[in-house]
Amino acid sequence: MRRSRRARVRSKTRMGQSGSGHIHVSSRDFIHKSDSYSGLRSDVPLPVVEEILLNLPAHQVVRVCRLVCREWKELVDSAAYWRERCRREGFQPYDASRPLDDWRLFYFLSKKRRNLIKNPRAEEEFSGWKIVQNGGDCWTVEDNSTEIPNCTVRKYFVTSYWLCLKQQLIDLKREGYSAAFMDQLQPPIKISDWYAPRYDCGSVYQICVELLDQKKKPIHTFEPEQISFPQWNDHQWCEMTHVFKDYGPGVRFIRFTHGGKDTQFWAGWYGIRVTNSSVEICPAEVR
């Protein structure tokens, strides 16, 4: 009896079923068995196949389903398929009137797009940040009471009366962006940072974002002039943005540094406030 049970388990394993009951199908299975499915493929209308593929994970469609037969390959390679996939998942170009060069690339970049900055809104105090300079009474976190357009931000980081700087180093490989991906595609890297002064105290804001090679040496740097606010200002939030494009091969890290100070030299935390920072790798055609 034990032998027969083992035989059944071995038989199931050969068919791709594990002892836990999960079915495992590799692309090799599809390639080797594709000929036996020729009758099935001819019986299923292509629009039905397309609908099925639109509801499967995109990576499975590319790595497995695309290999089944010529008709499926042509379908998966078509711009219409990826344009429809983008439409269903809400990925739309900034300028709909301008044709895209590669809808599949647009889809995967949009799908992967996210903020690579950790703890951008001070919700976890200073977790994820390296304090580079901590002048005056040092960095602190305060509650936000002034609205930032199009988002809800409850907290911000605030500087003191001597220079305060903090920094994050983003490892692109660790975030899922391989060296080949970055070198061959060189996708746009979008930087955003929100800053605001206190109304009753002058302050200074500064930012520096560097694209670094494997040895962490700068390839490209964005470092605008410092922005100064006078005492008695409207204390509204402002956004600093920049997009790195055509930066060449070799980018492996991104170093994001920002901060500032107050200009009245008041004890406490009257300097520039920063929050909602972001670094995103995104399609050129997206908002």
Side-chain angles (χ1 to χ4, degrees):
M1 180 64 69
R2 290 182 181 173
R3 269 180 153 180
S4 61
R5 285 180 181 172
R6 287 197 199 98
R8 285 199 296 271
V9 170
R10 282 197 297 270
S11 175
K12 288 181 179 179
T13 304
R14 289 192 197 101
M15 295 173 63
Q17 183 170 349
S18 68
S20 62
H22 297 292
I23 302 297
H24 302 283
V25 182
S26 69
S27 59
R28 183 178 297 176
D29 296 326
F30 269 93
I31 295 171
H32 288 175
K33 297 178 182 179
S34 61
D35 291 340
S36 64
Y37 295 142
S38 59
L40 174 62
R41 295 198 306 267
S42 62
D43 290 342
V44 180
L46 202 57
V48 176
V49 173
E50 181 177 12
E51 186 61 32
I52 293 171
L53 298 185
L54 285 167
N55 286 277
L56 291 176
H59 69 275
Q60 182 179 341
V61 170
V62 172
R63 295 176 182 175
V64 180
C65 302
R66 182 177 177 274
L67 306 178
V68 170
C69 65
R70 180 176 58 81
E71 290 82 1
W72 288 23
K73 178 180 182 299
E74 290 177 354
L75 173 61
V76 173
D77 287 347
S78 69
Y81 173 81
W82 294 102
R83 183 167 56 245
E84 176 61 16
R85 189 147 194 145
C86 287
R87 186 192 68 80
R88 293 191 181 195
E89 298 190 33
F91 303 142
Q92 294 302 315
Y94 178 74
D95 185 357
S97 65
R98 182 175 133 195
L100 291 183
D101 294 331
D102 191 333
W103 276 95
R104 180 165 67 175
L105 176 60
F106 177 82
Y107 172 84
F108 279 108
L109 282 175
S110 299
K111 188 80 171 177
K112 200 177 181 67
R113 183 182 182 184
R114 66 194 189 281
N115 188 3
L116 302 180
I117 292 287
K118 312 301 182 188
N119 185 30
R121 301 179 178 182
E123 293 168 349
E124 302 173 51
E125 295 289 320
F126 291 93
S127 175
W129 292 96
K130 175 184 177 182
I131 303 300
V132 179
Q133 294 200 43
N134 216 10
D137 286 323
C138 307
W139 282 95
T140 194
V141 171
E142 294 181 347
D143 294 329
N144 180 39
S145 59
T146 306
E147 182 180 355
I148 295 180
N150 303 319
C151 61
T152 302
V153 177
R154 296 183 176 86
K155 292 181 180 293
Y156 55 75
F157 304 96
V158 58
T159 61
S160 190
Y161 58 88
W162 286 113
L163 184 61
C164 295
L165 295 173
K166 60 187 180 69
Q167 184 180 95
Q168 285 197 28
L169 182 67
I170 299 168
D171 185 333
L172 293 173
K173 183 179 179 180
R174 186 174 297 173
E175 295 294 338
Y177 298 96
S178 68
F181 179 90
M182 295 301 300
D183 290 350
Q184 294 171 18
L185 299 179
Q186 295 179 35
I189 301 174
K190 182 180 179 181
I191 310 302
S192 174
D193 196 31
W194 288 86
Y195 59 97
R198 281 180 60 106
Y199 80 97
D200 57 352
C201 185
S203 59
V204 172
Y205 165 79
Q206 64 184 74
I207 183 172
C208 178
V209 184
E210 301 161 286
L211 306 186
L212 310 176
D213 65 14
Q214 188 62 44
K215 295 182 179 180
K216 299 185 178 65
K217 294 182 178 179
I219 296 176
H220 283 279
T221 300
F222 170 67
E223 189 173 13
E225 293 184 1
Q226 292 184 354
I227 298 176
S228 299
F229 293 91
Q231 189 179 20
W232 312 117
N233 58 78
D234 60 5
H235 68 94
Q236 296 300 308
W237 285 99
C238 306
E239 184 182 20
M240 175 65 72
T241 62
H242 179 72
V243 179
F244 290 99
K245 296 180 180 180
D246 302 321
Y247 39 78
V251 175
R252 302 293 179 264
F253 300 90
I254 302 173
R255 185 159 55 208
F256 182 102
T257 309
H258 67 170
K261 62 179 181 178
D262 84 53
T263 55
Q264 310 299 128
F265 299 98
W266 291 351
W269 300 275
Y270 294 86
I272 203 73
R273 301 171 287 177
V274 292
T275 192
N276 203 32
S277 311
S278 70
V279 173
E280 297 178 309
I281 295 179
C282 58
E285 298 84 358
V286 81
R287 285 184 186 272

